[in-house]
Amino acid sequence: MATVELTFSALPAHVRTARLLATAIARRTGVEESLLDEVRLAVGEACSRAVEAHRLHCPGEPIRIELCDDSGRFEVIVTDSAPSDELEQGRDYSSIRFDDPLGQLPGTLMSGFGIAVIVGLADDVEVYPSQKGMRIRMSWPAAAGGLSPV
Amino acid sequence: MDLKLDHHSEDSLTIVEVEGEIDVYTAPRLRELLIDLVNKGNFHLLVNMEKVDFLDSTGLGVLVGGLKRVRAHDGSLELVCTQERILKIFRITGLTKVFGIYASVDEAKEAHGRDK
């Protein structure tokens, strides 16, 4: 069960809020301090990608982020509503590399960079592209039961 | 933290000082500055990222875009960065092979002087 859900309109200014929230909840859930930077960056990347996609395809639709602390892991799911037909379902994103970044289109480059950074940072990542939108699920190890309340 | 930008020239090198967070919200300001500098004939840029707290793929895209622009004028765009959390992003994306990355402004200036 998700402990926190946030929906936000597709504005770049809200991405910072989303990653600060994710970092705060990761800390509360018991994710190691050394991993918090990775959580912050990976969640920021997923939200940035979603905001850019919504601005192109559906600027009025909200983006949803779910932060869960089930079974000793901190899980984040970012869901957008923009068709992601440029990304192939079932592709192995762990192999993304940029041999010629200067020769690529800026949009393709940044979208690809974003996914590559998420895959490089999160302990466990699944990307589900579809015509109805993309869902990125990522997780990190957390203390079982999270931190006790102060 | 917001993004603070400043720049100054030393001989043929323009040093861009960046402080704060470079993300999807703030990166357009860095893009505008780099474009403006190139349009004014500054083709050798050194971006000092020692005070950058956060960098995402939007920021990487802006730096790659800047590099493309200066290369079109036989120029250079190099970076100063020693922060592991920022360097890690360059390594993940393979961009350590694309950018010259130095440990200090002095080291970068020395290398630039040798290459002239």
Side-chain angles (χ1 to χ4, degrees):
Chain A
M1 192 179 112
T3 50
V4 175
E5 286 187 22
L6 171 74
T7 55
F8 59 94
S9 50
L11 296 173
H14 294 331
V15 172
R16 183 170 188 263
T17 306
R19 64 174 189 257
L20 289 175
L21 176 72
T23 310
I25 294 172
R27 182 177 280 118
R28 164 60 65 197
T29 305
V31 174
E32 271 184 37
E33 283 292 319
S34 61
L35 294 176
L36 293 180
D37 262 340
E38 299 184 3
V39 172
R40 182 168 72 132
L41 183 53
V43 171
E45 288 294 353
C47 292
S48 294
R49 201 212 63 79
V51 165
E52 293 293 352
H54 272 226
R55 290 172 86 189
L56 279 176
H57 297 286
C58 49
E61 294 293 317
I63 293 157
R64 191 174 67 171
I65 177 168
E66 297 161 68
L67 306 130
C68 320
D69 64 350
D70 286 344
S71 59
R73 292 194 70 83
F74 173 62
E75 185 176 86
V76 181
I77 300 169
V78 178
T79 308
D80 68 56
S81 308
S84 50
D85 37 347
E86 82 278 12
L87 291 160
E88 189 185 331
Q89 191 134 22
R91 178 177 170 184
D92 178 12
Y93 290 99
S94 65
S95 63
I96 292 177
R97 283 291 177 273
F98 300 92
D99 295 329
D100 179 25
L102 299 183
Q104 297 195 40
L105 294 171
T108 309
L109 185 71
M110 277 183 254
S111 173
F113 272 158
I115 299 288
V117 169
I118 293 166
V119 169
L121 290 176
D123 188 58
D124 161 46
V125 183
E126 286 173 345
V127 180
Y128 306 97
S130 78
Q131 281 297 320
K132 290 181 180 173
M134 185 182 274
R135 182 167 169 262
I136 299 177
R137 190 196 64 77
M138 45 204 158
S139 76
W140 291 265
L147 296 180
S148 57
V150 178
Chain B
M1 188 183 195
D2 203 0
L3 183 69
K4 287 183 188 169
L5 299 170
D6 201 0
H7 66 92
H8 64 279
S9 293
E10 293 187 23
D11 299 323
S12 63
L13 193 62
T14 301
I15 301 174
V16 179
E17 302 284 352
V18 187
E19 182 177 350
E21 299 185 340
I22 310 175
D23 66 2
V24 66
Y25 181 56
T26 60
R29 287 178 48 213
L30 177 60
R31 181 187 294 119
E32 283 168 22
L33 174 62
L34 296 179
I35 290 171
D36 189 46
L37 288 171
V38 173
N39 287 345
K40 288 177 177 166
N42 302 281
F43 302 138
H44 291 284
L45 306 178
L46 177 63
V47 181
N48 185 358
M49 304 184 68
E50 283 298 79
K51 292 182 180 171
V52 171
D53 298 319
F54 182 85
L55 173 74
D56 71 6
S57 60
T58 322
L60 292 178
V62 168
L63 293 171
V64 170
L67 182 60
K68 284 169 82 166
R69 285 176 187 277
V70 293
R71 288 252 178 105
H73 298 278
D74 292 325
S76 62
L77 189 154
E78 294 176 320
L79 310 171
V80 172
C81 182
T82 58
Q83 296 187 73
E84 184 51 34
R85 64 181 172 184
I86 304 289
L87 290 171
K88 186 172 183 176
I89 304 163
F90 284 94
R91 278 199 292 271
I92 288 170
T93 51
L95 289 177
T96 45
K97 295 173 193 161
V98 175
F99 290 101
I101 302 179
Y102 296 94
S104 69
V105 170
D106 285 343
E107 189 183 296
K109 278 160 54 180
E110 200 179 310
H112 180 69
R114 280 199 303 269
D115 292 343
K116 271 202 294 190

